[in-house]
Amino acid sequence: MHEQFEALLNRIAEGSSVGDEFLADVLARVIVKAPLETSRVEIAAGIPGGGGPAHERKIPQGTVSKAVKALMDEGLLDRGKTGLLNEDGRPVASLQLGTGVCMAGAKVTLLRGVPAAVTTALTRLDGKVLSSSMKSLPGSPADRWQLVAGLIHREVVRLKKRQDEQRSAQGEEPLELFGVGVEVGAHVDRGKIIRRVGEGEYSEVPLGDDLTRRFAGKVPVVVENDVNALAVWALNSGRYPEADLVVVAVFDEGVGGGLIMDGRLRRGGNGMAMEVGHLTVGHAPGSRKLTGAGTATGRRDPSLDLFDPECHCGGVGHVDAFATPARLRKSAGVATLGEIARAPVSVDGVRTPQALCMETAGSVLGRGLAHVVNIVNPSRLVLYLPAELCDIAPAHAAHCYLAAARSEMEHAFSTGATVAHLTPVQLEDKDLGELGARAAAVCVINSFIDHARGLDGCPVVQRRPSARRTADGPRADRVSDAS
Ligand SMILES: [Zn+2]
């Protein structure tokens, strides 16, 4: 699968005796520390109490030095610019992520399940954006999936060319492209987008293969579910030290989840772990078919009557049918979420319909979160919410959303909800594209780390000296131009 990662590891093995796992651990520790610089001593000591076993264990100093040298030879690490002092106050050489290597990330924005736009970003190895663009997809909805790979390829090449021209003017070498990451709010399984095309019928869009071909097989391509990418972003940002972390995002048309366990993203059997939006709420088990009038049969919680219970997946009573901005607007009959969010909670002591909608939607989300807490017992639950739903002014209807979600989540078993530290994070519409593109880019280096650790399902190769010489060629063969 990841032939390009394999070639890189083979090349490193030619000049170094350090094992793949140590390379991965050292690189991961520099990433978590970025944008701050770190040192060999810090890397060797590990990060006590943070990020899972791979970050916590001590690595022998000599091994760190070998791994750092190998990663420097490949441009993945550079000498730092600021001086660091050790515990005795003596200066030590600092390290940073390589600045001559870049990654590309693209977020495919869907509208009713069809690609509408692509945000592409060129980033540093820690995900810091160098430049970005947003392009709408032309053509009829039926054709748009076929256009996605071409657009991403064109934009990556264009952004990189522009960046390289600027570098050249300053006497710097062109950037080396480490890989291309793409994130999509869909079911993603090993580089393919799985789409529902009818009752029990699914088709595949081979986005990963298509992009790999367009980059002539020379650049690793990683395709990831959108919230999985946000979870990887959370993991690599160093902001959350927990090794067991859940990320849930409420987007306009759906609620998604990403699961980090023991410091690693878990995708499940075919990429569908944490489909929080399709948990059933408010319906008694048994028959839940829709009847002609759009009402569901089966025993239904009457408090949900304000909402259409049919999920976009064809199911009935799923979280996505109640907890999203699109369903809130529909149930309140308004054009913008702000109209419901800023409505008063009550008038003359009577709760407003907007407040009731918000409360129902938030409770449904909270029920879903309680299920998640019961199943995976996260040490933190990061909840991305649209800005309107983060409104905490007690007089505004929006206040009821998060309050209801918290209160419903408290019903999880034992101390699960307390341990889960619900952490709301505001999603600004204008930042959505770039955040996604950045997260997609970070998935590339995270995939390399998982590959080196032998955790990504690729065949694990025993690297021996005899095998090294038949490896995929010297460094000069590497792609220095995306075209
Ligand atoms: Zn559903």
Side-chain angles (χ1 to χ4, degrees):
M1 254 166 91
H2 292 133
E3 295 85 1
Q4 304 88 350
F5 291 155
E6 210 37 46
L8 170 56
L9 289 171
N10 279 332
R11 223 165 35 234
I12 290 176
E14 273 186 69
S16 165
S17 60
V18 68
D20 294 355
E21 271 187 63
F22 286 119
L23 284 173
D25 288 354
V26 168
L27 185 57
R29 289 176 192 190
V30 183
I31 290 172
V32 165
K33 197 74 195 288
L36 296 178
E37 294 180 356
T38 183
S39 70
R40 290 166 182 79
V41 176
E42 271 186 349
I43 294 171
I47 307 164
H55 283 315
E56 287 168 23
R57 68 165 171 242
K58 285 188 169 44
I59 305 177
Q61 194 67 59
T63 306
V64 171
S65 294
K66 277 188 218 167
V68 166
K69 181 178 182 306
L71 292 165
M72 276 185 158
D73 287 347
E74 289 293 332
L76 294 173
L77 294 184
D78 279 349
R79 248 176 267 284
K81 291 198 174 63
T82 60
L84 292 175
L85 300 178
N86 70 7
E87 281 171 355
D88 311 329
R90 281 184 309 201
V92 291
S94 66
L95 294 165
Q96 61 174 339
L97 289 164
T99 53
V101 183
C102 69
M103 305 189 291
K107 179 190 171 66
V108 182
T109 303
L110 305 183
L111 207 59
R112 285 180 285 282
V114 179
V118 175
T119 306
T120 311
L122 209 64
T123 76
R124 292 201 184 282
L125 291 175
D126 62 1
K128 183 177 185 292
V129 174
L130 295 166
S131 61
S132 68
S133 72
M134 206 279 275
K135 299 274 177 199
S136 298
L137 280 156
S140 73
D143 304 328
R144 291 215 199 114
W145 278 111
Q146 313 309 322
L147 302 174
V148 171
L151 177 61
I152 293 172
H153 176 255
R154 261 198 316 281
E155 283 304 295
V156 171
V157 171
R158 190 178 68 83
L159 291 174
K160 184 172 178 307
K161 185 161 174 273
R162 205 170 64 188
Q163 203 70 33
D164 286 343
E165 283 165 3
Q166 286 171 14
R167 288 174 66 90
S168 166
Q170 291 161 9
E172 291 174 319
E173 294 284 307
L175 288 166
E176 200 169 321
L177 182 61
F178 188 68
V180 178
V182 182
E183 61 109 290
V184 187
H187 175 187
V188 179
D189 185 15
R190 296 170 181 86
K192 295 184 173 64
I193 314 293
I194 313 295
R195 295 173 58 218
R196 178 178 182 268
V197 288
E199 183 73 43
E201 285 175 59
Y202 299 89
S203 77
E204 291 180 348
V205 181
L207 186 56
D209 287 348
D210 194 351
L211 265 172
T212 302
R213 240 186 338 266
R214 285 170 196 269
F215 284 97
K218 291 180 176 170
V219 176
V221 172
V222 174
V223 184
E224 193 62 84
N225 164 269
D226 57 349
V227 190
N228 280 355
L230 285 180
V232 168
W233 172 253
L235 178 71
N236 284 19
S237 71
R239 204 168 300 166
Y240 310 110
E242 294 83 8
D244 295 288
L245 183 73
V246 160
V247 175
V248 170
V250 177
F251 294 124
D252 197 54
E253 295 177 354
V255 180
L259 174 63
I260 303 287
M261 280 180 105
D262 301 328
R264 278 174 58 201
L265 176 70
R266 303 297 173 123
R267 299 180 184 82
N270 76 333
M272 280 199 303
M274 289 290 292
E275 282 297 343
V276 182
H278 302 286
L279 290 170
T280 302
V281 287
H283 282 255
S287 167
R288 292 192 296 272
K289 287 265 177 273
L290 278 184
T291 62
T295 53
T297 61
R299 282 150 291 162
R300 179 157 67 123
D301 183 336
S303 73
L304 301 178
D305 282 351
L306 286 167
F307 289 77
D308 167 9
E310 186 175 9
C311 182
H312 54 89
C313 74
V316 177
H318 293 179
V319 169
D320 273 5
F322 307 99
T324 62
R327 291 304 175 99
L328 274 162
R329 293 196 303 269
K330 189 174 166 189
S331 68
V334 296
T336 66
L337 186 59
E339 291 173 59
I340 330 168
R342 286 187 297 273
V345 169
S346 56
V347 174
D348 298 333
V350 180
R351 270 178 115 63
T352 60
Q354 292 93 335
L356 287 173
C357 277
M358 281 289 180
E359 203 168 80
T360 304
S363 299
V364 165
L365 178 70
R367 178 69 60 89
L369 299 182
H371 291 328
V372 168
V373 165
N374 282 338
I375 293 168
V376 299
N377 186 199
S379 303
R380 184 177 301 274
L381 202 161
V382 179
L383 176 64
Y384 282 98
L385 285 176
E388 291 90 341
L389 297 180
C390 283
D391 191 341
I392 50 161
H396 287 173
H399 171 73
C400 304
Y401 186 89
L402 197 50
R406 274 188 195 282
S407 146
E408 191 63 36
M409 192 179 124
E410 292 299 326
H411 293 287
F413 177 64
S414 190
T415 56
T418 313
V419 170
H421 292 106
L422 183 65
T423 309
V425 179
Q426 195 165 314
L427 270 177
E428 296 284 357
D429 264 357
K430 61 176 173 55
D431 303 334
L432 261 179
E434 200 169 289
L435 173 67
R438 216 162 51 177
V442 169
C443 287
V444 177
I445 198 144
N446 195 70
S447 288
F448 171 68
I449 288 168
D450 275 358
H451 182 90
R453 286 176 177 156
L455 298 175
D456 63 349
C458 287
V460 177
V461 179
Q462 195 72 44
R463 255 169 269 286
R464 290 189 305 269
S466 57
R468 284 178 211 152
R469 273 187 285 279
T470 60
D472 301 42
R475 184 178 159 83
D477 284 358
R478 292 183 78 184
V479 184
S480 61
D481 195 325
S483 49

